[in-house]
Short mmCIF file of all heavy atoms in Angstrom, two decimals:
data_model
loop_
_atom_site.label_atom_id
_atom_site.label_comp_id
_atom_site.label_asym_id
_atom_site.label_seq_id
_atom_site.Cartn_x
_atom_site.Cartn_y
_atom_site.Cartn_z
N ILE A 1 -10.94 36.65 -21.64
CA ILE A 1 -10.25 36.36 -20.39
C ILE A 1 -10.85 35.12 -19.75
O ILE A 1 -10.09 34.24 -19.25
CB ILE A 1 -10.47 37.59 -19.44
CG1 ILE A 1 -9.68 38.80 -19.99
CG2 ILE A 1 -9.95 37.24 -18.02
CD1 ILE A 1 -9.92 40.04 -19.21
N LEU A 2 -12.16 34.93 -19.85
CA LEU A 2 -12.82 33.71 -19.31
C LEU A 2 -12.33 32.48 -20.04
O LEU A 2 -12.09 31.46 -19.45
CB LEU A 2 -14.32 33.88 -19.38
CG LEU A 2 -15.13 32.77 -18.70
CD1 LEU A 2 -14.84 32.69 -17.24
CD2 LEU A 2 -16.60 32.99 -18.95
N SER A 3 -12.24 32.57 -21.36
CA SER A 3 -11.78 31.40 -22.11
C SER A 3 -10.31 31.07 -21.92
O SER A 3 -9.95 29.91 -21.86
CB SER A 3 -12.07 31.63 -23.64
OG SER A 3 -11.30 32.65 -24.14
N ILE A 4 -9.47 32.08 -21.73
CA ILE A 4 -8.06 31.84 -21.44
C ILE A 4 -7.90 31.20 -20.06
O ILE A 4 -7.11 30.24 -19.91
CB ILE A 4 -7.24 33.17 -21.54
CG1 ILE A 4 -7.18 33.66 -23.00
CG2 ILE A 4 -5.82 32.99 -20.95
CD1 ILE A 4 -6.50 34.95 -23.21
N SER A 5 -8.65 31.66 -19.07
CA SER A 5 -8.53 31.07 -17.76
C SER A 5 -9.09 29.66 -17.69
O SER A 5 -8.53 28.78 -17.11
CB SER A 5 -9.20 31.95 -16.70
OG SER A 5 -10.59 32.03 -17.00
N SER A 6 -10.14 29.40 -18.48
CA SER A 6 -10.67 28.08 -18.54
C SER A 6 -9.72 27.12 -19.24
O SER A 6 -9.55 25.98 -18.87
CB SER A 6 -12.00 28.04 -19.33
OG SER A 6 -12.96 28.84 -18.67
N LEU A 7 -9.06 27.63 -20.32
CA LEU A 7 -8.08 26.82 -20.97
C LEU A 7 -6.85 26.54 -20.10
O LEU A 7 -6.32 25.41 -20.12
CB LEU A 7 -7.61 27.57 -22.27
CG LEU A 7 -6.61 26.83 -23.20
CD1 LEU A 7 -7.27 25.60 -23.75
CD2 LEU A 7 -6.14 27.74 -24.26
N THR A 8 -6.47 27.51 -19.29
CA THR A 8 -5.33 27.30 -18.37
C THR A 8 -5.68 26.20 -17.36
O THR A 8 -4.87 25.36 -17.07
CB THR A 8 -4.99 28.60 -17.68
OG1 THR A 8 -4.73 29.61 -18.68
CG2 THR A 8 -3.78 28.47 -16.80
N VAL A 9 -6.87 26.25 -16.79
CA VAL A 9 -7.30 25.24 -15.80
C VAL A 9 -7.34 23.91 -16.47
O VAL A 9 -6.95 22.93 -15.86
CB VAL A 9 -8.66 25.71 -15.20
CG1 VAL A 9 -9.25 24.55 -14.41
CG2 VAL A 9 -8.52 26.90 -14.34
N LEU A 10 -7.86 23.82 -17.69
CA LEU A 10 -7.94 22.53 -18.36
C LEU A 10 -6.54 21.97 -18.62
O LEU A 10 -6.34 20.78 -18.43
CB LEU A 10 -8.74 22.71 -19.70
CG LEU A 10 -8.90 21.49 -20.53
CD1 LEU A 10 -9.82 20.48 -19.81
CD2 LEU A 10 -9.44 21.81 -21.89
N ILE A 11 -5.64 22.79 -19.10
CA ILE A 11 -4.29 22.31 -19.35
C ILE A 11 -3.60 21.84 -18.08
O ILE A 11 -2.90 20.80 -18.04
CB ILE A 11 -3.46 23.39 -20.09
CG1 ILE A 11 -3.94 23.56 -21.53
CG2 ILE A 11 -1.97 23.07 -20.13
CD1 ILE A 11 -3.36 24.73 -22.25
N CYS A 12 -3.79 22.60 -16.97
CA CYS A 12 -3.17 22.20 -15.70
C CYS A 12 -3.76 20.92 -15.21
O CYS A 12 -3.02 20.06 -14.67
CB CYS A 12 -3.32 23.31 -14.69
SG CYS A 12 -2.34 24.78 -14.99
N SER A 13 -5.03 20.74 -15.39
CA SER A 13 -5.71 19.49 -14.94
C SER A 13 -5.20 18.31 -15.71
O SER A 13 -4.92 17.23 -15.15
CB SER A 13 -7.19 19.61 -15.08
OG SER A 13 -7.72 20.66 -14.29
N ILE A 14 -5.04 18.49 -17.01
CA ILE A 14 -4.57 17.40 -17.88
C ILE A 14 -3.13 17.05 -17.52
O ILE A 14 -2.75 15.84 -17.37
CB ILE A 14 -4.70 17.75 -19.34
CG1 ILE A 14 -6.17 17.76 -19.74
CG2 ILE A 14 -3.91 16.78 -20.23
CD1 ILE A 14 -6.44 18.30 -21.15
N LEU A 15 -2.29 18.09 -17.26
CA LEU A 15 -0.90 17.79 -16.88
C LEU A 15 -0.80 17.13 -15.55
O LEU A 15 0.05 16.20 -15.36
CB LEU A 15 -0.15 19.11 -16.83
CG LEU A 15 0.31 19.68 -18.18
CD1 LEU A 15 0.99 21.05 -18.01
CD2 LEU A 15 1.25 18.75 -18.90
N MET A 16 -1.62 17.49 -14.56
CA MET A 16 -1.55 16.83 -13.25
C MET A 16 -2.05 15.39 -13.37
O MET A 16 -1.49 14.50 -12.77
CB MET A 16 -2.44 17.58 -12.26
CG MET A 16 -1.82 18.86 -11.74
SD MET A 16 -2.68 19.59 -10.38
CE MET A 16 -4.14 20.26 -11.17
N PHE A 17 -3.04 15.10 -14.18
CA PHE A 17 -3.49 13.73 -14.40
C PHE A 17 -2.45 12.88 -15.07
O PHE A 17 -2.23 11.74 -14.65
CB PHE A 17 -4.82 13.76 -15.26
CG PHE A 17 -5.38 12.41 -15.49
CD1 PHE A 17 -5.98 11.68 -14.50
CD2 PHE A 17 -5.30 11.83 -16.76
CE1 PHE A 17 -6.47 10.41 -14.72
CE2 PHE A 17 -5.80 10.59 -16.99
CZ PHE A 17 -6.42 9.87 -15.96
N VAL A 18 -1.83 13.42 -16.07
CA VAL A 18 -0.74 12.67 -16.76
C VAL A 18 0.41 12.44 -15.84
O VAL A 18 1.02 11.34 -15.83
CB VAL A 18 -0.32 13.41 -18.07
CG1 VAL A 18 0.92 12.82 -18.67
CG2 VAL A 18 -1.45 13.37 -19.09
N ALA A 19 0.79 13.43 -15.04
CA ALA A 19 1.85 13.25 -14.09
C ALA A 19 1.58 12.18 -13.08
O ALA A 19 2.42 11.41 -12.68
CB ALA A 19 2.21 14.58 -13.44
N SER A 20 0.32 12.16 -12.59
CA SER A 20 -0.03 11.15 -11.58
C SER A 20 -0.04 9.75 -12.20
O SER A 20 0.32 8.75 -11.56
CB SER A 20 -1.38 11.44 -11.00
OG SER A 20 -2.43 11.26 -11.92
N LEU A 21 -0.39 9.65 -13.48
CA LEU A 21 -0.35 8.34 -14.12
C LEU A 21 1.10 7.85 -14.36
O LEU A 21 1.42 6.69 -14.19
CB LEU A 21 -1.06 8.37 -15.50
CG LEU A 21 -2.58 8.37 -15.39
CD1 LEU A 21 -3.17 8.48 -16.85
CD2 LEU A 21 -3.14 7.20 -14.68
N VAL A 22 1.96 8.75 -14.75
CA VAL A 22 3.34 8.46 -15.05
C VAL A 22 4.11 8.10 -13.77
O VAL A 22 4.97 7.21 -13.70
CB VAL A 22 4.01 9.61 -15.82
CG1 VAL A 22 5.51 9.41 -15.92
CG2 VAL A 22 3.38 9.75 -17.19
N SER A 23 3.81 8.80 -12.68
CA SER A 23 4.58 8.66 -11.44
C SER A 23 4.19 7.44 -10.59
O SER A 23 4.83 7.14 -9.63
CB SER A 23 4.50 9.90 -10.64
OG SER A 23 3.18 10.05 -10.11
N LYS A 24 3.12 6.80 -10.88
CA LYS A 24 2.68 5.67 -10.08
C LYS A 24 3.59 4.46 -10.26
O LYS A 24 3.93 4.09 -11.39
CB LYS A 24 1.25 5.26 -10.45
CG LYS A 24 0.21 6.16 -9.90
CD LYS A 24 -1.17 5.65 -10.07
CE LYS A 24 -2.17 6.58 -9.55
NZ LYS A 24 -3.53 6.15 -9.81
N LYS A 25 4.00 3.92 -9.15
CA LYS A 25 4.81 2.72 -9.16
C LYS A 25 3.94 1.55 -8.71
O LYS A 25 3.54 1.49 -7.59
CB LYS A 25 6.02 2.90 -8.28
CG LYS A 25 6.93 3.99 -8.72
CD LYS A 25 8.11 4.14 -7.81
CE LYS A 25 9.01 5.27 -8.35
NZ LYS A 25 10.06 5.60 -7.47
N THR A 26 3.63 0.67 -9.62
CA THR A 26 2.71 -0.38 -9.35
C THR A 26 3.41 -1.65 -8.89
O THR A 26 2.76 -2.65 -8.51
CB THR A 26 1.81 -0.69 -10.51
OG1 THR A 26 2.63 -0.99 -11.64
CG2 THR A 26 0.90 0.50 -10.84
N ILE A 27 4.73 -1.69 -8.96
CA ILE A 27 5.47 -2.88 -8.54
C ILE A 27 5.62 -2.85 -7.02
O ILE A 27 6.23 -1.97 -6.46
CB ILE A 27 6.85 -2.90 -9.20
CG1 ILE A 27 6.73 -2.86 -10.72
CG2 ILE A 27 7.65 -4.09 -8.73
CD1 ILE A 27 8.04 -2.71 -11.43
N SER A 28 5.02 -3.83 -6.36
CA SER A 28 5.15 -3.92 -4.91
C SER A 28 5.43 -5.38 -4.53
O SER A 28 4.79 -6.27 -5.04
CB SER A 28 3.88 -3.39 -4.23
OG SER A 28 2.76 -4.13 -4.69
N ASP A 29 6.42 -5.54 -3.73
CA ASP A 29 6.76 -6.89 -3.27
C ASP A 29 6.78 -6.91 -1.77
O ASP A 29 6.50 -5.92 -1.10
CB ASP A 29 8.09 -7.34 -3.86
CG ASP A 29 9.23 -6.39 -3.53
OD1 ASP A 29 8.96 -5.37 -2.89
OD2 ASP A 29 10.37 -6.70 -3.92
N ARG A 30 7.12 -8.03 -1.18
CA ARG A 30 7.04 -8.21 0.27
C ARG A 30 8.08 -7.30 0.99
O ARG A 30 7.78 -6.72 2.05
CB ARG A 30 7.36 -9.62 0.63
CG ARG A 30 7.15 -9.99 2.07
CD ARG A 30 7.43 -11.46 2.35
NE ARG A 30 8.83 -11.79 2.27
CZ ARG A 30 9.69 -11.65 3.25
NH1 ARG A 30 9.28 -11.19 4.44
NH2 ARG A 30 10.99 -12.05 3.07
N GLU A 31 9.24 -7.06 0.41
CA GLU A 31 10.27 -6.24 1.03
C GLU A 31 9.82 -4.75 1.03
O GLU A 31 10.08 -4.07 2.01
CB GLU A 31 11.57 -6.35 0.28
CG GLU A 31 12.23 -7.71 0.42
CD GLU A 31 12.61 -7.99 1.85
OE1 GLU A 31 13.04 -7.05 2.56
OE2 GLU A 31 12.52 -9.12 2.30
N LYS A 32 9.16 -4.32 -0.01
CA LYS A 32 8.77 -2.89 -0.01
C LYS A 32 7.56 -2.66 0.87
O LYS A 32 7.37 -1.52 1.34
CB LYS A 32 8.44 -2.48 -1.47
CG LYS A 32 9.70 -2.30 -2.30
CD LYS A 32 9.35 -1.72 -3.64
CE LYS A 32 10.64 -1.52 -4.45
NZ LYS A 32 10.35 -0.93 -5.74
N LEU A 33 6.71 -3.62 1.04
CA LEU A 33 5.54 -3.44 1.91
C LEU A 33 5.84 -3.64 3.41
O LEU A 33 5.02 -3.26 4.25
CB LEU A 33 4.47 -4.40 1.48
CG LEU A 33 3.85 -4.17 0.09
CD1 LEU A 33 2.87 -5.23 -0.27
CD2 LEU A 33 3.26 -2.76 0.01
N SER A 34 6.95 -4.18 3.74
CA SER A 34 7.31 -4.39 5.15
C SER A 34 7.91 -3.12 5.76
O SER A 34 8.61 -2.40 5.07
CB SER A 34 8.26 -5.56 5.31
OG SER A 34 9.50 -5.23 4.77
N PRO A 35 7.70 -2.85 7.03
CA PRO A 35 8.33 -1.67 7.64
C PRO A 35 9.80 -1.79 7.79
O PRO A 35 10.29 -2.92 7.97
CB PRO A 35 7.62 -1.56 8.99
CG PRO A 35 7.13 -2.96 9.26
CD PRO A 35 6.82 -3.58 7.98
N PHE A 36 10.52 -0.70 7.69
CA PHE A 36 11.96 -0.71 7.79
C PHE A 36 12.38 -0.18 9.17
O PHE A 36 12.02 0.93 9.54
CB PHE A 36 12.57 0.13 6.65
CG PHE A 36 14.06 0.20 6.73
CD1 PHE A 36 14.78 -0.88 6.33
CD2 PHE A 36 14.70 1.37 7.11
CE1 PHE A 36 16.18 -0.87 6.33
CE2 PHE A 36 16.10 1.42 7.17
CZ PHE A 36 16.81 0.31 6.77
N GLU A 37 13.15 -0.98 9.88
CA GLU A 37 13.66 -0.54 11.22
C GLU A 37 15.20 -0.71 11.22
O GLU A 37 15.72 -1.58 11.85
CB GLU A 37 13.01 -1.34 12.27
CG GLU A 37 11.52 -1.07 12.45
CD GLU A 37 10.93 -1.79 13.64
OE1 GLU A 37 11.70 -2.36 14.46
OE2 GLU A 37 9.74 -1.81 13.75
N CYS A 38 15.89 0.13 10.51
CA CYS A 38 17.37 0.17 10.51
C CYS A 38 17.98 -1.19 10.15
O CYS A 38 18.99 -1.57 10.69
CB CYS A 38 17.87 0.62 11.87
SG CYS A 38 17.33 2.24 12.37
#
């Protein structure tokens, strides 16, 4: 039970790390950094 729960935590941590790497948008320009007011 301890090894299964440790494995589950490890898999979830790896999935969250990979998801954060994939979802990052590093392209930023002047228009995206400026505030939008209608």
Side-chain angles (χ1 to χ4, degrees):
I1 294 173
L2 185 62
S3 64
I4 289 174
S5 62
S6 300
L7 184 64
T8 305
V9 169
L10 180 68
I11 289 173
C12 288
S13 299
I14 290 172
L15 282 175
M16 284 190 289
F17 179 71
V18 169
S20 70
L21 286 178
V22 170
S23 68
K24 284 188 180 176
K25 296 179 181 174
T26 57
I27 301 171
S28 56
D29 56 358
R30 188 178 70 86
E31 291 296 323
K32 287 187 179 181
L33 294 177
S34 67
F36 179 73
E37 293 185 9
C38 299

